[in-house]
Amino acid sequence: MAENLVIARILLYFDEKQAHRTAVIRQILGNHLTMSSMFWGMCYGLLTETNTDPELGQKVELVASLAHKKGWLKQVAKNTYVLTPKGADMKARYLAEHKTLQNPELFSFFNYRRLTTLLHLCIQVASEKSYQQAKYQPLTLNYDILQLFKRWYQQTNGQGLDHLAEDLEQFLSQEDTTEAVIFAQNFAGYHESGFTTSQLAQMHQLDISDVALILRDLTARFIFFSIKHDPTFGTLFKSQLGEGLLTKSALKSYQLFQNGYDLPKVAQVRRLKLSTVIEHILNCAMILDDFPYQAFLLEDEIKLIEKVFQGQKTLTWNFHALADFKLPFYKYRLVQIMRIKIYGTDY
Amino acid sequence: MVQTIDLNAALMKYFGYQHFKPGQKEILEALLAQKNVLGILPTGVGKSLCYQLYGYLVKKTVVIVSPLISLMQDQVANLYLRGEKKAIALNSNLTFAQRREILAKLKFFRFIYVSPELLKNPAVLAALQKLDLGLFVVDEAHCISTWGPDFRPDYLDLGKIRQRLANPLTLALTATATLKVEMQIKQILFFDAQTKVVRFAVNRANIFLDVEEVSDEAQKNARLLELTTNLQGPGLIYFSSKKKAEEINQLILQKSDLKSAVYHAGMANEDRFAVLEQFLRDELDIICATSAFGMGINKQNIRYIIHYHLPSSLEDYVQEYGRCSRDGQKGAAIILYQDSDLDLQKYLLEKTFPKLQEITYFFKQNKVLRQILQENPPFDLLARYQQLGFTQAQVERLIKERLVERKQALDEIKSYLGSNCLRKKIAQYFGDQLPEQANCCSPQNETVSLSQLGQKKVALAKRATFEDYQSVLKKLFNQ
């Protein structure tokens, strides 16, 4: 049963019309993005799923092949599949009956495993403190996490956890009641062992993968809730947030360009390779809504590219068709990104 | 006399115990007389108390060499639980930056657990050389011995490392050592004639030993359910694979009212912690675990240990069932096996060791390729030998010898399964004297009653669960 659900869940990352490569899905779910996988992730409409399921990401090829065996996916090339009608039905059923993440886009900003452990530790410490206990076995011996917590706690003069109970109360008051109690029961504290994902699934008669997603979902949203609502407790997690899909370095290159430097000059000033700066520009183009394509592309270049690929869907273009025109790859890619953002992937 | 009084008072002060367990005081007295000690004490006797108490008495740093990260972590966790925060585990889980940070403030730690390979790191060794070491402990010292099935090549250099640390007072500890292994430990660590050996028999008189042959897996599972539903727990069931542990855990949950949980390395940290805490609080009847579970866990009332798969050696078996009934009450150690189980162990064994072609292939490669290869078994083991300075020929010979030893260890298990007296077999293997005892064992050709195995089942106390998050939070935060 559980295995079937995992196989069904992989269908969420496939489409009926557009073939998706498992390598791209793997890189997205596990947050191992290259510019190429980011581009294709954007085309697949899956960028918001970045870093949401590294465990599933590691076995995408295997699970996809199992879905293929079940007739839910059709293989159109090596490790490339589309949803069959049967698969589309199964996907719709899955979405109707099972849990999905409310804000998957949050996951690109942090290491989920690390912050989950940190949150559990905070709750354990707060619980023990509320009973005036100082002797207990911490639920993690991860040196990094313990040191991080210790330093932060000392900086807040031991008061950093004072509003944690209230924060949880306020956060959970807005949540589904079953999900709220599952989330709360997960935590260990003074004379409380907590419950495993498997035990919670049994207690609430839910599938284990649904419980895992509930915990993942509420953990991520509570962390961001804390950052927003509790200036003291929130600083612990804020300090651990990453850059998301748009790196600081990419933004810096982009800002220099906007300030009047051309790309070679940006590379020189920042002591980077030109190819790195170009990747930064592509990164910005994919993520920012108001990217100034005209600053990088001449009207003639756009026309040329569109003429060469006239009649072909943007996603089917092949850069080799431009071999005779000596246009740099990034310009071709920028045109693709622009068209997809304006017209979608079907055009 | 003065020492004895001091020791008892210290025991009470630091650990809250009134009495020492057999062997502990002898070890401490020898250490206080500045004698190196080899302590061969059965599991559950509290070997770690010996070096921890010594550390408190002399108020100096204690370095403990430990072969397993999970064991180190259990030990550090136990220290934290007792309120001792000046404990650290140095092992490959740390990043370079974390290790550097810890080494910079090493003198602030009272108990430093370190893996044998990290001990040879120049920066680690240099940092340890700066300390005023009170005691150097070699835990699981049987890993030194090439004659033992648990040989770890990194342990071979511990004698030289002792010398580089200016020959600190040393305590070597193990639960299982034949006379041959004892001799080799003393040799490798450069122990002299003044070394005190404190040896107690491995026999645990309060644990009934049982071996039951079944015809197939269905019968094994049926018998397992019969035992677990009738015996007083909590109990621990050992498996060779995570998959089987998960499968049987589900079976127990489906077919009985028992509270069972699985425990293995593949679980999320928080889930593992929850299971461990539940077990320690008697909220679970059973844990289905792989063998690394609980090496350092201090639970006194595990009433039975069942091996669903065969242990790989008598040393491992004694260590594993040694977790049973540490409070001295009646317990049972049961092996359920079918014919094919031995074949499974042989198969796993041969899979673990590199083949001759693999050894040749590895040594032929350049440094870069070796670094890539060593990310996966069995090349990681070959890389380790190579780093220790072994030539290809030496590695080939060593692997061959190791395979022979491991096969011999399995033969000993097979011999144990077929013994007329299980207890006598273990005693003979470890060179122990064995007094007669009632309620000894049940070899495979004898039937055993449940009352021989343990007490009749009493239900666990109900654990409170709450229906809404408000109640959970109220309890969690003392509101």
Side-chain angles (χ1 to χ4, degrees), chain A residues 44-64:
Chain A
Y44 296 171
L46 293 179
L47 276 186
T48 48
E49 301 298 321
T50 302
N51 199 31
T52 54
D53 203 339
E55 294 84 9
L56 181 58
Q58 279 174 356
K59 36 188 191 182
V60 166
E61 276 80 10
L62 171 64
V63 179

Side-chain angles (χ1 to χ4, degrees), chain A residues 90-105:
Chain A
M90 178 51 77
K91 180 177 171 179
R93 258 182 60 196
Y94 183 93
L95 286 169
E97 293 170 10
H98 293 281
K99 173 77 184 167
T100 53
L101 297 171
Q102 271 194 42
N103 296 99
E105 70 282 0

Side-chain angles (χ1 to χ4, degrees), chain A residues 114 117-118 121 124-125 136-153, chain B residues 76 80 85 87-88 98:
Chain A
R114 184 178 158 80
T117 303
L118 186 56
L121 179 66
Q124 183 195 22
V125 174
Y136 50 91
Q137 185 179 319
L139 59 80
T140 182
L141 289 174
N142 181 301
Y143 180 77
D144 226 20
I145 290 178
L146 286 175
Q147 290 301 303
L148 168 68
F149 176 81
K150 194 173 158 187
R151 276 194 295 267
W152 167 81
Y153 197 62
Chain B
V76 171
Y80 271 63
K85 301 260 164 63
I88 191 75
Q98 289 166 352

Side-chain angles (χ1 to χ4, degrees), chain A residues 9 15 62 68 101 112 116 221 248-249 252 309 321:
Chain A
R9 198 160 95 240
D15 187 78
L62 171 64
H68 174 234
L101 297 171
Y112 169 78
T116 299
R221 290 195 291 110
K248 279 194 190 118
S249 189
K252 206 166 176 184
F309 295 107

